[in-house]
Amino acid sequence: MTEHEKRGERDLRDELRDSEKHFRLLVDSVEDYAIFMLDTGGRVASWNSGAQRIKGYSAGEIVGKHFSVFYPREDVEAGKCERELEVASREGRVEDEGPRVRKDGTTFWASVVITALRDGEGRLIGFGKVTRDLTARVQAEQERLRLAQAEAGDRRKEELLAIMGHELRNPLAPMVTAMHLIKLRRGNDCAREIGVVERQLGHMLRLLDDLLDLSRMLREKVKLTRRVIDVGLVLADAVQGAAALMEGKQHRLQLDLPPAPLFVEVDADRMTQVFSNLLNNAAKYTDPLGLIRVRATGDDEQVVVAIEDTGIGIDPGLMPRLFQLFTQGEQGLDRQLGGLGIGLAVAHRLVDQHGGTLTAESEGVGKGSRFTVQLPRADAPALAAEPLEHPPAPMRRAAASRRVLLVDDNEDSNEMMREYLEGFGHDVRVAHDGQSGLELAREFAPDIALLDLGLPGMDGFELARRLRLTPQGATIPLVAVSGYARDVDRQKAMKAGFSEHFAKPIELSRLEDLLERAGR
């Protein structure tokens, strides 16, 4: 070998030594990662500054100890350390993410890679291990999730309050108008108005009962006053409570009850509420002229009541959470089906408190549904409850008569408002949907139009937009009428071209002032 070749070989060895020094310097100076080596038995053979920062041990404290000291006790007892080395030996490397333990006993979330190290002949000489502390990242993700859940909860609360306001304001509107008519007539010839108040009051009471029961159940304060009673009597009261809705949609009701009584020991009022909820749901989700069937059967152990309908059915995706609070199928702005999404949840909890079960079945959308209540059967007879009975009563004119267009799908609301306004001498025309309202406006040329925003099909916003494009509706006052009464709802209505926004129930004095100005 020449002198030149020897000098070249020495230079190469020096470069290799310098390279190894630089690499060791690099590894030792890295603080964001714990980088160290294990011997073939899993004992720590080297230690860098990042390992000391992350795990808390100095090199003198940890070198020679088994790497299982970094793992939670349950992982060590389950043999996780041995499995990781075995996989790394067989496959070349293993990755893992999970909890690890520091010197002081605290845990942190780590990402770990173990790589098998082999010599030039392929013999295993140890393992390289790289650990990264992901605690900050995991905490940030958890905080983002918490904030997202909190924001979603706030949005859901706001939506619930808006829906609740809508559902309560809708029945209030015809009730307030009916009460004004009763006062103006001094209680004379008011049978129709009283009927409207009774129907809408019943609807409100059901909503409020659901809310109060929900509040009690969340605080576990519902107390049951049980007595033995024929389930047929409970069903009779429930049917009576749902009769108005079923009659309004001309449903066919089929009662299939056995001739002999089926006794159950229940809180009669609460169980009536359960069956009323189920019957009202059946009526609400069943098209006019549909069939609702109530069937009661029993054996020695239990009484079974099934309520079936030919209605819109239940989407399979909704079924798993059907009895959870605030669960509802998709509804548009019109909220024709209404409700707060708590009736079934309340019914389920009440049945459960009675030691029974409430289940639902449906073959899918458009194929009807069946709700089944199972209750323990009782032996003793019960006394029938007597049903409640309800007793069966010249208006001033406006300064100028106006042509008023009312568009609302709530017939009671329309009738009461029409009767009220006609009593003041106004000429009133009524439509129950957007398309009919548009056609009627072209024919009638109203001085003012009151448009419910939640109309089926063409909603009030679209109706207002189309009316503004017609000669009859270009300049007249358009009044948005809605069960939603937030500032954002008012602003949305005004931006859509409405002149006024009235929350239900309408302030009649405010409407009278508007009518006085409408023809000027």
Side-chain angles (χ1 to χ4, degrees):
M1 180 181 293
T2 65
E3 186 62 31
H4 177 72
E5 290 173 335
K6 292 178 180 178
R7 188 166 53 252
E9 189 175 337
R10 285 196 301 272
D11 290 344
L12 181 58
R13 286 196 298 269
D14 290 342
E15 288 178 6
L16 287 172
R17 281 195 298 270
D18 289 343
S19 177
E20 290 174 357
K21 286 181 181 178
H22 291 156
F23 181 73
R24 283 196 298 271
L25 180 62
L26 171 64
V27 170
D28 288 341
S29 62
V30 171
E31 294 192 351
D32 291 335
Y33 293 84
I35 304 174
F36 54 99
M37 290 184 61
L38 307 175
D39 63 19
T40 56
R43 290 176 290 275
V44 178
S46 69
W47 199 245
N48 79 331
S49 59
Q52 180 168 340
R53 185 189 69 81
I54 293 173
K55 297 180 180 292
Y57 296 94
S58 66
E61 293 173 316
I62 197 63
V63 170
K65 292 186 178 180
H66 196 270
F67 82 113
S68 59
V69 298
F70 308 134
Y71 287 70
R73 176 180 296 179
E74 56 271 22
D75 286 349
V76 176
E77 293 175 350
K80 183 172 182 176
C81 302
E82 290 77 9
R83 282 199 304 275
E84 287 188 340
L85 295 185
E86 190 274 329
V87 172
S89 299
R90 185 178 68 251
E91 300 182 6
R93 69 197 300 273
V94 64
E95 293 186 29
D96 181 41
E97 191 171 300
R100 295 295 185 269
V101 181
R102 295 188 178 92
K103 175 185 175 181
D104 61 6
T106 59
T107 59
F108 65 100
W109 197 262
S111 171
V112 176
V113 178
I114 301 176
T115 304
L117 304 177
R118 299 183 182 276
D119 61 17
E121 297 179 1
R123 291 189 296 265
L124 181 69
I125 59 174
F127 301 90
K129 187 170 183 183
V130 179
T131 300
R132 183 184 180 190
D133 186 352
L134 298 180
T135 304
R137 189 193 76 180
V138 171
Q139 289 176 341
E141 290 176 352
Q142 291 174 339
E143 179 63 14
R144 282 196 297 271
L145 178 61
R146 186 191 67 79
L147 290 174
Q149 290 174 335
E151 290 174 2
D154 289 341
R155 285 195 302 272
R156 191 70 188 97
K157 288 177 185 177
E158 184 177 348
E159 291 170 2
L160 174 63
L161 290 173
I163 290 172
M164 185 167 63
H166 179 279
E167 294 301 306
L168 292 175
R169 286 177 181 277
N170 267 337
L172 274 175
M175 289 172 63
V176 169
T177 311
M179 291 304 299
H180 275 270
L181 285 167
I182 291 171
K183 286 196 295 184
L184 288 170
R185 292 174 176 167
R186 298 183 179 180
N188 298 313
D189 192 23
C190 296
R192 178 186 295 180
E193 289 78 8
I194 291 172
V196 167
V197 171
E198 287 181 333
R199 284 194 299 274
Q200 300 299 334
L201 183 60
H203 177 63
M204 286 187 66
L205 287 174
R206 286 193 296 273
L207 290 173
L208 292 173
D209 282 343
D210 283 347
L211 287 170
L212 290 172
D213 283 333
L214 170 62
S215 175
R216 295 188 192 104
M217 286 177 180
L218 291 176
R219 294 174 301 177
E220 298 182 350
K221 289 188 176 180
V222 175
K223 293 183 179 179
L224 302 179
T225 304
R226 297 172 183 259
R227 63 188 177 97
V228 176
I229 187 173
D230 179 9
V231 76
L233 295 176
V234 179
L235 287 170
D237 286 343
V239 168
Q240 184 179 9
L245 183 54
M246 289 188 284
E247 289 172 2
K249 299 177 76 172
Q250 298 181 344
H251 289 145
R252 291 172 292 136
L253 177 63
Q254 180 179 334
L255 290 174
D256 187 358
L257 306 178
L262 295 171
F263 293 117
V264 289
E265 187 175 4
V266 297
D267 184 314
D269 290 337
R270 295 297 183 186
M271 199 51 58
T272 298
Q273 181 184 350
V274 168
F275 291 128
S276 291
N277 274 344
L278 297 179
L279 285 167
N280 275 294
N281 259 21
K284 185 163 59 174
Y285 293 107
T286 299
D287 290 334
L289 304 179
L291 173 66
I292 297 173
R293 182 185 183 193
V294 180
R295 182 163 51 96
T297 59
D299 57 27
D300 292 340
E301 300 295 329
Q302 62 184 6
V303 171
V304 180
V305 177
I307 297 176
E308 306 172 59
D309 62 65
T310 57
I312 65 173
I314 303 170
D315 189 309
L318 190 65
M319 191 67 78
R321 52 191 180 89
L322 187 64
F323 296 111
Q324 295 177 10
L325 289 171
F326 313 125
T327 295
Q328 292 180 296
E330 290 295 324
Q331 296 193 47
L333 177 66
D334 57 331
R335 287 193 56 78
Q336 282 183 284
L337 302 178
L340 300 175
I342 60 178
L344 287 179
V346 169
H348 191 272
R349 294 192 186 194
L350 284 173
V351 173
D352 184 68
Q353 279 192 282
H354 283 87
T357 60
L358 170 58
T359 57
E361 302 169 78
S362 175
E363 294 182 7
V365 177
K367 296 183 178 180
S369 59
R370 179 190 302 109
F371 287 84
T372 304
V373 175
Q374 295 183 343
L375 295 167
R377 186 164 183 172
D379 296 326
L383 297 176
E386 295 184 3
L388 293 176
E389 294 185 359
H390 299 282
M395 295 175 61
R396 66 184 178 88
R397 302 183 68 81
S401 175
R402 310 294 183 207
R403 294 187 303 275
V404 183
L405 174 64
L406 302 178
V407 187
D408 195 327
D409 60 321
N410 186 317
E411 293 187 13
D412 278 344
S413 184
N414 266 343
E415 282 304 304
M416 288 298 96
M417 186 58 69
R418 180 190 61 78
E419 194 167 341
Y420 180 78
L421 293 175
E422 287 181 346
F424 282 85
H426 299 298
D427 186 4
V428 183
R429 303 291 173 85
V430 170
H432 298 100
D433 60 77
Q435 187 59 44
S436 299
L438 186 62
E439 295 170 0
L440 187 57
R442 289 170 178 157
E443 169 193 333
F444 180 49
D447 297 316
I448 185 173
L450 278 66
L451 313 179
D452 181 39
L453 293 182
L455 294 171
M458 182 195 303
D459 63 31
F461 292 108
E462 178 63 15
L463 176 57
R465 187 187 69 79
R466 295 195 187 186
L467 280 174
R468 288 302 189 202
L469 298 177
T470 67
Q472 299 83 1
T475 59
I476 65 171
L478 295 183
V479 181
V481 181
S482 174
Y484 295 105
R486 299 170 300 178
D487 287 339
V488 65
D489 301 311
R490 295 186 181 91
Q491 293 167 10
K492 184 177 178 182
M494 304 308 286
K495 288 179 181 178
F498 282 96
S499 311
E500 298 280 351
H501 177 280
F502 285 1
K504 295 180 180 180
I506 292 175
E507 294 181 38
L508 295 176
S509 60
R510 183 181 169 196
L511 176 59
E512 291 169 13
D513 291 340
L514 183 60
L515 287 167
E516 288 293 323
R517 302 194 306 269
R520 297 174 187 172

